[in-house]
Amino acid sequence: MRRSTFLATAAALASAAYLTACGSPPRDLDLSLKHPSTQGLFVVTLEPPATGPVLDQIQTWQLHLADRDGAPVSQARILFSGGMPQHGHGFPTRPRVTREIRPGVYALEGVKFSMSGWWDMRFGLQAGERTDTAVFNVVLDDGRHRS
């Protein structure tokens, strides 16, 4: 195979692989904003700002944390991570839970979506001796949230 043909073929395969990896989110992606934590210790609700998630704006979201019976969980320690699984990068900002607004409701500040597509939002949850995680998926199409 001639070098120029080989390079063109390699470039086409790399482009196809990139488009496959960065293409549409999985069809069975759970887009719910309320569900049990991974081990079922908590019920977690993620609430976007009133305007909904948008591109290129720093936003504050709210995380509602309750026990299995629905009672608010106060004084929890909550860590945040996330990003774009199909692109392999995190958020362009450093979102973090900054305070408890009212019992069981926490402010997640510094959220910024830099591009449309599938984002995951991951939380480490600790309340007393109970430790669990929760993951939410958000898809932005042309800067607007899709559920």
Side-chain angles (χ1 to χ4, degrees):
M1 181 181 287
R2 290 183 19 206
R3 181 170 165 78
S4 61
T5 304
F6 174 77
L7 291 175
T9 302
L13 288 173
S15 295
Y18 175 80
L19 291 174
T20 299
C22 298
S24 300
R27 290 184 182 170
D28 61 347
L29 196 62
D30 179 4
L31 297 175
S32 66
L33 294 178
K34 180 179 183 177
H35 53 74
S37 57
T38 305
Q39 298 175 44
L41 300 179
F42 304 105
V43 176
V44 189
T45 305
L46 186 60
E47 183 180 337
T51 59
V54 293
L55 286 175
D56 295 323
Q57 291 181 16
I58 295 180
Q59 304 170 37
T60 299
W61 289 53
Q62 290 184 6
L63 183 89
H64 299 249
L65 187 61
D67 64 17
R68 293 179 197 167
D69 298 324
V73 176
S74 288
Q75 299 180 349
R77 181 170 181 216
I78 303 172
L79 300 176
F80 176 82
S81 66
M84 297 191 84
Q86 292 177 308
H87 290 240
H89 64 77
F91 280 80
T93 54
R94 299 187 77 169
R96 64 187 182 93
V97 174
T98 57
R99 68 189 185 284
E100 186 170 5
I101 299 168
R102 59 184 181 277
V105 180
Y106 300 85
L108 172 65
E109 297 183 1
V111 176
K112 181 179 179 183
F113 301 99
S114 56
M115 61 193 317
S116 59
W118 168 31
W119 293 81
D120 69 2
M121 301 176 79
R122 300 177 173 275
F123 296 89
L125 310 165
Q126 182 179 10
E129 298 300 315
R130 297 173 294 172
T131 302
D132 208 343
T133 60
V135 179
F136 294 91
N137 297 293
V138 175
V139 176
L140 276 80
D141 290 329
D142 299 322
R144 298 301 303 175
H145 175 252
R146 185 179 86 203
S147 27

